[in-house]
């Protein structure tokens, strides 16, 4: 699933490429995406036409489009979704990329929703598993969306400081990896970056949040800012389906430390090999020597 760096890359791309344009039309072969939008797909299609995209921003892993007439669109890419800017033609209810190169590659060719925009631009939603979510709401109801209501602070916001982080984590019980991935504690961190952050902080993923001292919490807090900033700079990690809006892979996967590197040598050269274990059905990757459970 795209995490903070991947979603931020998409948001920055979109803000650069399609901000200020007007939505002319929209198509889908998967109306279920819109089931949480008031009135469903039919109402979405009707209302969205003619709206201008004023700004594109991110809340956690959600992509927000501020539209004219006090409307908001929220898109969550879920497991395999990613937004692309390109050109497509619909033939027999099947979108076909009319551009050669990256956008026509298989990973970018699961287009299940398309927005036609002014100035002959288009935004497509490629989503192999079709778990994505697209909804529209009035601005006045936006902050009450259950998708956003309990979402935790953004770890990359400059005003997010250590004391706030500490108080949020201290309220929780259970393995720190699970707590870091809880979107209601801090937002934007998922399976990849929780592994990377805990490796840098030298904390075992199973270590209980309630047992962490100030020094350990500080190490996690600083590692989170550092790793996420680095991953944004490298335009995210394309380990699975994620690509940027041009269909291009991010570069963080090449420099990742432990995520899906089970059996490989610890990057600290401590002599141990990285291991994998399951926490709540998710895999954690870590160095059993550098990240001692104590
Ligand atoms: Zn090690």
């Amino acid at each position: 699933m795209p995490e903070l760096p991947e979603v931020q890359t998409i948001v920055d791309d979109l803000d650069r490429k399609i901000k200020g344009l007007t939505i002319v039309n929209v198509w889908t072969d998967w109306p279920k995406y819109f089931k949480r939008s008031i009135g469903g797909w039919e109402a979405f299609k009707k209302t969205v036409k003619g709206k201008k995209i004023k700004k594109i921003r991110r809340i956690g892993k959600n992509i927000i489009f501020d539209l004219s007439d006090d409307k908001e669109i929220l898109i969550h890419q879920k497991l395999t979704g990613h937004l692309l800017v390109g050109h497509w033609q619909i033939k027999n209810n099947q979108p076909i990329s009319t551009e050669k190169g990256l956008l026509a590659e298989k990973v970018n060719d699961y287009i299940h929703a398309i927005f036609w925009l002014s100035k002959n631009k288009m935004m497509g939603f490629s989503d192999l598993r079709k778990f994505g979510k697209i909804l529209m709401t009035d601005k006045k109801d936006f902050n009450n969306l259950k998708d956003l209501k309990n979402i935790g602070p953004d770890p990359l916001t400059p005003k997010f400081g250590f004391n706030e982080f500490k108080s949020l984590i201290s309220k929780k019980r259970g393995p720190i990896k699970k707590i870091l991935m809880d979107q209601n504690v801090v937002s934007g961190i998922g399976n990849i970056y929780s592994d990377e952050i805990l490796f840098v902080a030298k904390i075992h993923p199973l270590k209980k949040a309630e047992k962490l001292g100030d020094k350990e919490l500080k190490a996690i807090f600083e590692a989170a800012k550092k790793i996420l900033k680095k991953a944004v700079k490298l335009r995210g990690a394309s380990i699975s389906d994620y690509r940027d809006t041009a269909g291009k892979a991010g570069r963080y996967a090449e420099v990742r430390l432990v995520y899906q590197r089970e059996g490989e040598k610890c990057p600290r050269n401590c002599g141990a090999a990285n291991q994998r274990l399951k926490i709540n059905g998710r895999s954690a990757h870590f160095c059993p020597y550098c990240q001692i459970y104590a």
Side-chain angles (χ1 to χ4, degrees):
M1 183 187 281
E3 303 178 31
L4 186 156
E6 291 77 35
V7 180
Q8 187 64 49
T9 302
I10 299 255
V11 163
D12 291 343
D13 279 4
L14 292 177
D15 205 59
R16 199 177 68 243
K17 291 179 177 179
I18 65 166
K19 185 171 70 179
L21 302 185
T22 300
I23 300 169
V24 178
N25 204 355
V26 56
W27 167 91
T28 193
D29 65 352
W30 195 247
K32 267 191 183 170
Y33 284 142
F34 303 85
K35 67 179 180 201
R36 293 265 331 285
S37 202
I38 295 162
W41 159 240
E42 290 302 328
F44 183 95
K45 186 178 176 166
K46 212 171 131 187
T47 313
V48 82
K49 285 181 193 171
K51 300 286 181 282
K52 187 177 166 180
I53 301 169
K54 289 161 68 182
K55 190 182 167 69
I56 298 136
R57 57 196 170 101
R58 178 179 65 78
I59 301 179
K61 299 178 189 173
N62 300 281
I63 300 172
I64 313 298
F65 296 75
D66 297 332
L67 303 181
S68 56
D69 300 331
D70 287 340
K71 299 283 182 195
E72 304 280 350
I73 292 177
L74 178 151
I75 298 183
H76 197 301
Q77 305 179 115
K78 297 282 176 170
L79 274 184
T80 57
H82 53 287
L83 289 165
L84 300 160
V85 176
H87 294 94
W88 296 268
Q89 258 174 17
I90 313 276
K91 280 182 186 160
N92 303 321
N93 211 33
Q94 189 79 34
I96 296 159
S97 175
T98 54
E99 284 173 75
K100 291 194 178 84
L102 293 172
L103 281 174
E105 279 182 10
K106 198 63 205 158
V107 68
N108 298 316
D109 200 24
Y110 300 97
I111 302 288
H112 292 293
I114 293 177
F115 292 76
W116 281 264
L117 308 169
S118 54
K119 293 197 175 163
N120 192 30
K121 297 251 177 137
M122 294 169 80
M123 179 176 80
F125 187 46
S126 179
D127 183 19
L128 168 66
R129 301 284 295 273
K130 297 195 278 188
F131 290 142
K133 171 173 68 184
I134 305 175
L135 66 89
M136 185 163 36
T137 177
D138 289 325
K139 199 174 184 175
K140 64 177 170 51
D141 303 322
F142 182 70
N143 289 329
N144 292 322
L145 281 177
K146 70 171 185 193
D147 317 77
L148 303 174
K149 220 168 177 183
N150 298 314
I151 214 156
D154 196 291
L156 283 193
T157 309
K159 68 175 188 209
F160 181 59
F162 175 64
N163 288 337
E164 190 182 1
F165 177 74
K166 183 183 159 182
S167 88
L168 287 164
I169 300 282
S170 307
K171 281 183 204 137
K172 293 285 173 179
R173 299 282 175 273
I176 182 62
K177 176 172 166 86
K178 184 178 162 242
I179 307 299
L180 276 181
M181 288 172 61
D182 181 344
Q183 299 305 297
N184 299 337
V185 180
V186 287
S187 62
I189 298 172
N191 217 23
I192 300 174
Y193 297 105
S194 56
D195 279 355
E196 300 288 282
I197 290 164
L198 290 173
F199 175 79
V200 170
K202 297 188 182 177
I203 307 290
H204 194 286
L206 276 179
K207 181 125 187 188
K208 298 271 190 289
E210 62 269 32
K211 294 249 169 86
L212 293 168
D214 265 20
K215 213 177 136 191
E216 292 167 303
L217 287 169
K218 190 100 194 190
I220 298 170
F221 174 76
E222 276 164 9
K225 292 223 180 212
K226 186 177 145 191
I227 289 287
L228 293 170
K229 269 184 200 160
K230 183 176 178 182
V232 169
K233 223 177 199 173
L234 294 173
R235 301 182 61 79
S238 294
I239 290 159
S240 178
D241 297 65
Y242 160 76
R243 297 293 183 274
D244 69 15
T245 60
K248 204 174 166 195
R251 302 190 307 276
Y252 186 82
E254 296 151 32
V255 301
R256 73 191 195 276
L257 299 160
V258 286
Y259 179 75
Q260 287 191 3
R261 290 203 189 276
E262 183 191 4
E264 292 181 32
K265 272 199 321 198
C266 165
R268 278 196 190 93
N269 280 322
C270 69
N274 301 322
Q275 289 184 1
R276 181 170 69 100
L277 58 81
K278 287 262 180 194
I279 302 175
N280 292 79
R282 308 298 298 271
S283 284
H285 308 83
F286 66 104
C287 169
Y289 179 78
C290 297
Q291 294 165 265
I292 295 166
Y293 186 80

